[in-house]
Amino acid sequence: MAVIEVNHPLAKEKLNLLRNINTHPDQFKRYLEELSFMIFYEASKNLPMKKETIETPLKTMDAEIIKNRVILITILRAGIGMTRLIRELYRETAVGFIGLKRDEQTLKPITYYINLPKNTNNSEIFVLDPMLATGGSIIKTLEILEGYNIHPRNIISIIAAPEGIESVQNKYPNIDIYTCSIDEKLDKNGYIVPGLGDAGDRLFGTEE
Ligand code: PRP
Ligand code: URA
């Protein structure tokens, strides 16, 4: 398993805007979408391809197309903000949802919703959640998916904490984690430092 930090200057610029306390929820939503597409672009670079014959105005040719359907597994709530632009720019996607909420005391995720595509055969699965903090939500998601015989290829998280990466790596050594930043640490409340605060609240304007 690898942890891939997407260090593209445009992604770094966008991440700074996302972190900034003065970024309005409306802009936060836009930056999260843009950054999610940038990481997805990187995470999808090794997707298997197949040959298909197409006609240009000049001749018939063998073209390479993406072989399998892409499935985005979105962790609610904040993962919602990661799918729209990816789907707009690459339409052949299906989306599954897993609703989790961290208990503020124990920091353990509570599952409240599962809605997955019926057919996941011959698919490439990506799990989307902007924050990988303790890793509890990602591990719970992977456990739920295992129960449906769904095996993701990659996790895409905008910001990851070293503690969470280690927990996920210990349990799922074969999954790659794509992130824009491996931050310093978790604070005593389980928030990523420096992080960006509560991603769901910032996305949906529910901080207060
Ligand atoms: C946030 C975030 C992740 C989780 C990460 O969601 O979007 O799902 O915390 O923390 P972990 O790695 O320690 O599990 P939260 O549970 O706050 O729910 P929300 O998106 O509905 O706000
Ligand atoms: N969830 C968030 O939204 N932010 C954090 O820093 C940690 C968990």
Side-chain angles (χ1 to χ4, degrees):
M1 165 175 161
V3 181
I4 299 102
E5 216 175 341
V6 178
N7 279 316
H8 194 287
L10 293 179
K12 291 287 173 199
E13 287 269 308
K14 212 58 85 174
L15 179 59
N16 294 337
L17 294 165
L18 206 58
R19 288 187 193 275
N20 193 320
I21 192 172
N22 295 316
T23 297
H24 184 274
D26 187 49
Q27 288 170 314
F28 187 93
K29 171 170 165 285
R30 182 71 205 170
Y31 298 143
L32 179 58
E33 288 178 347
E34 291 171 351
L35 205 40
S36 300
F37 182 77
M38 289 182 202
I39 308 189
F40 176 73
Y41 182 81
E42 189 61 25
S44 57
K45 75 178 176 201
N46 294 319
L47 283 177
M49 307 294 284
K50 66 178 181 185
K51 290 266 168 37
E52 191 174 277
T53 305
I54 61 166
E55 302 263 343
T56 81
L58 301 184
K59 69 171 288 199
T60 300
M61 66 169 278
D62 281 338
E64 278 198 298
I65 61 162
I66 293 174
K67 186 172 172 197
N68 296 320
R69 184 166 72 141
V70 168
I71 296 179
L72 309 174
I73 303 289
T74 307
I75 303 180
L76 306 179
R77 282 178 303 168
I80 293 175
M82 299 180 72
T83 57
R84 194 196 65 84
L85 195 58
I86 294 175
R87 299 196 75 217
E88 196 169 304
L89 297 176
Y90 179 61
R91 292 197 199 156
E92 306 305 316
T93 56
V95 184
F97 296 94
I98 300 209
L100 300 177
K101 176 76 196 134
R102 272 200 328 180
D103 178 297
E104 284 176 15
Q105 258 69 51
T106 65
L107 301 183
K108 301 278 177 238
I110 298 161
T111 310
Y112 59 84
Y113 187 68
I114 301 175
N115 192 329
L116 299 169
K118 288 177 192 64
N119 182 3
T120 56
N121 295 332
N122 302 321
S123 300
E124 305 292 336
I125 320 281
F126 295 81
V127 174
L128 307 180
D129 190 330
M131 309 304 278
L132 197 175
T134 65
S137 300
I138 290 290
I139 290 172
K140 172 57 86 180
T141 297
L142 295 173
E143 287 170 354
I144 291 169
L145 293 175
E146 270 179 337
Y148 289 81
N149 202 24
I150 298 175
H151 303 285
R153 179 188 184 88
N154 296 309
I155 292 158
I156 300 182
S157 280
I158 305 289
I159 300 179
E163 297 90 328
I165 290 175
E166 195 184 336
S167 300
V168 176
Q169 276 182 323
N170 285 342
K171 186 132 196 242
Y172 293 95
N174 296 323
I175 294 180
D176 290 336
I177 299 176
Y178 283 81
T179 184
C180 253
S181 175
I182 302 170
D183 271 12
E184 283 168 39
K185 58 174 183 178
L186 295 177
D187 72 7
K188 62 178 175 21
N189 300 314
Y191 276 83
I192 301 175
V193 181
L196 53 70
D198 187 306
D201 280 345
R202 294 201 60 193
L203 176 63
F204 293 108
T206 51
E207 299 97 325
E208 292 162 18

